[in-house]
Amino acid sequence: MSQLDQACESFRILMEQQLLRIENMSAEKVDFTTKKTVTIGLVDGDGIGPIIMSQAVKVLEKLLADEIAAGSVVLKRIEGLTIENRLEKNQPVPTDVLEQIKTCDVLLKGPTTTPMGGKMESANVTLRRELDLYANVRPVAIPEEDIDWMFYRENTEGEYVLGSRGVELPGMAVDFKVTTDAGTRRIARAAFDYARQNGKTRVSIVTKANIMKKTDGKFTAICHEVAADYPEISVDDWYIDIMTANLVNPAIRNQFQVMVMPNLYGDIITDEAAQIQGGVGTAGSANIGDRYAMFEAIHGSAPRMIEDGLGDYANPSSILKAEAMLLRHICRSDTAEKLENALVSCKTVVTGDRNGATCAQFAEEIMRLL
Ligand code: NAD
């Protein structure tokens, strides 16, 4: 078979697998208001992961002490999602680790390092796909500027679904981007539901539909279809390039409320938004599906902080914000509010270096404020 034929054959297989994925997409939503026992999986990750997670777990144990004692919440430690174990097993998420993760309802996860080069997929991309965590939800707020943004990033499709499965021919490489009707409809619905439930009046769709006509064109069209069911919410379209500029334009940026977008644009623009808020160390994120959900900081494992001996100075506020989102997701809103209020009142400043407080000092202050 010629190389061109081989490439066409692998493309055909990819398309078949994607059609199968669409068939398997629907799942029943878990109702946490009636669930007798909620199991929270705790995964450390790499680099600064174990440092910020150890503080986040202390805070969680304090917040949920009564429920843990009563057995309505179980905290389950899951070992083995480390770069060393993943490389040794040559699996982005080793099978035994994934099995343990699947026994939980929700996960609190530290950042995981993605090996450079090679073929190994990122642990996050694998988890999002395996657990079908289709909505990446990232809030960014700067109250003094009246900024209150909520990003709904599609989390399982776009350039990521086949990110490590592009094809190469001599002198040429091709990657793939996939957008499905069902995948877009569910992220759009999640964004509009959030807007409706939280009194928001505007949802902005962000794509590059002028260039990516098939995939982003579909994304935009389906978001508008879904919007028709939410007549009280206004909807507008933006291209990612100008939206990136809008977020740093003080004249208009506080007018945006909820933004919904395909995977890659969401990945990039939410880091920009987090930086405007005060840095990637300050933003939490939720990866939500119908059956499972995973909560984490938006930043990575910060290997340079570890190399420079600054790991203990990592800012835990990102993972603590994610923890508050987890508590809200499992319908422990009062407990989430306690943590959110403590995060707002906390005067301890972590700068990520020896000029600021340590991760542990920040968490101690939070525990005192709870
Ligand atoms: P990074 O987010 O780890 O670091 C970017 C910058 O932010 C660095 O200067 C770092 O020191 C700083 N920083 C990050 N977290 C901080 C914190 N809590 N407190 C203070 N400063 C903090 O990004 P990177 O260096 O591009 O990625 C490192 C590794 O993490 C890569 O292997 C990447 O693939 C992985 N990663 C994982 C996730 C995840 O697991 N969710 C997300 C992003 C990146």
Side-chain angles (χ1 to χ4, degrees):
M1 203 189 273
S2 74
Q3 283 180 315
L4 181 58
D5 286 343
Q6 269 177 23
C8 292
E9 176 57 14
S10 53
F11 182 61
R12 195 181 62 80
I13 293 168
L14 291 178
M15 299 281 270
E16 280 172 359
Q17 288 169 344
Q18 289 307 300
L19 290 170
L20 203 62
R21 185 173 66 83
I22 299 171
E23 276 177 32
N24 294 330
M25 243 181 220
S26 67
E28 289 261 307
K29 279 198 176 162
V30 178
D31 181 359
F32 286 105
T33 56
T34 54
K35 197 163 195 306
K36 286 212 170 62
T37 307
V38 178
T39 304
I40 304 176
L42 305 168
V43 184
D44 275 356
D46 305 305
I48 60 168
I51 298 169
I52 58 173
M53 275 296 289
S54 71
Q55 300 305 327
V57 171
K58 272 192 211 161
V59 172
L60 198 60
E61 281 170 344
K62 177 158 185 179
L63 281 165
L64 294 173
D66 291 347
E67 290 221 63
I68 293 168
S72 53
V73 170
V74 174
L75 300 188
K76 179 172 175 170
R77 280 221 161 260
I78 297 172
E79 312 285 345
L81 197 69
T82 59
I83 184 69
E84 295 80 13
N85 192 37
R86 287 182 287 134
L87 287 174
E88 191 193 316
K89 304 259 168 68
N90 196 23
Q91 286 181 305
V93 179
T95 311
D96 57 326
V97 177
L98 186 61
E99 270 169 21
Q100 289 209 57
I101 285 174
K102 285 187 172 173
T103 64
C104 303
D105 298 296
V106 291
L107 285 186
L108 186 67
K109 175 187 162 290
T112 36
T113 300
T114 305
M116 295 269 270
K119 282 203 175 269
M120 190 181 288
E121 190 173 60
S122 107
N124 264 28
V125 171
T126 306
L127 285 172
R128 287 166 184 168
R129 188 184 54 244
E130 290 292 330
L131 307 177
D132 203 17
L133 307 174
Y134 58 84
N136 193 295
V137 182
R138 296 184 175 188
V140 166
I142 310 168
E144 56 279 19
E145 285 194 42
D146 201 22
I147 288 175
D148 187 9
W149 296 326
M150 183 59 92
F151 294 90
Y152 271 79
R153 162 189 169 195
E154 201 295 319
N155 213 17
T156 49
E157 303 201 334
E159 291 81 351
Y160 292 61
V161 63
L162 299 172
S164 50
R165 303 181 63 191
V167 294
E168 278 191 273
L169 290 171
M172 185 174 86
V174 181
D175 280 319
F176 302 112
K177 167 164 173 155
V178 182
T179 299
T180 66
D181 290 25
T184 306
R185 200 162 278 121
R186 62 187 186 174
I187 185 70
R189 219 162 258 299
F192 280 96
D193 280 345
Y194 169 82
R196 176 172 279 171
Q197 285 155 15
N198 291 276
K200 304 289 178 191
T201 52
R202 180 181 187 186
V203 172
S204 305
I205 306 163
V206 185
T207 66
K208 190 73 185 169
N210 50 339
I211 304 298
M212 297 277 112
K213 292 183 193 296
K214 291 275 180 284
T215 47
D216 287 0
K218 179 183 279 302
F219 192 93
T220 306
I222 289 177
C223 284
H224 277 286
E225 259 176 58
V226 170
D229 291 338
Y230 302 78
E232 77 279 19
I233 296 167
S234 73
V235 59
D236 41 55
D237 293 316
W238 297 85
Y239 296 133
I240 180 64
D241 38 354
I242 194 60
M243 185 52 98
T244 310
N246 288 344
L247 293 195
V248 288
N249 181 350
I252 56 165
R253 65 181 176 182
N254 63 4
Q255 292 161 25
F256 294 103
Q257 297 181 4
V258 181
M259 285 163 264
V260 61
M261 61 204 67
N263 210 336
L264 178 60
Y265 314 132
D267 192 357
I268 296 168
I269 206 169
T270 52
D271 270 21
E272 184 200 16
Q275 192 60 39
I276 295 168
Q277 178 181 251
V280 291
T282 67
S285 116
N287 298 269
I288 295 178
D290 291 331
R291 168 70 186 86
Y292 299 103
M294 176 171 90
F295 299 81
E296 56 179 357
I298 79 159
H299 59 72
S301 53
R304 256 172 259 137
M305 285 189 89
I306 298 292
E307 276 164 32
D308 297 343
L310 292 173
D312 287 338
Y313 294 86
N315 192 344
S317 43
S318 45
I319 193 87
L320 290 170
K321 282 185 185 165
E323 191 165 288
M325 294 174 85
L326 181 154
L327 291 165
R328 280 201 182 277
H329 182 76
I330 61 170
C331 300
R332 269 57 175 185
S333 306
D334 293 349
T335 317
E337 208 173 320
K338 274 190 207 162
L339 177 53
E340 286 158 358
N341 289 341
L343 282 164
V344 171
S345 318
C346 184
K347 296 284 176 275
T348 303
V349 179
V350 182
T351 52
D353 55 29
R354 292 189 175 83
N355 297 319
T358 62
C359 181
Q361 286 166 340
F362 184 92
E364 267 164 38
E365 178 65 3
I366 293 288
M367 303 265 277
R368 202 183 58 74
L369 290 165
L370 288 179

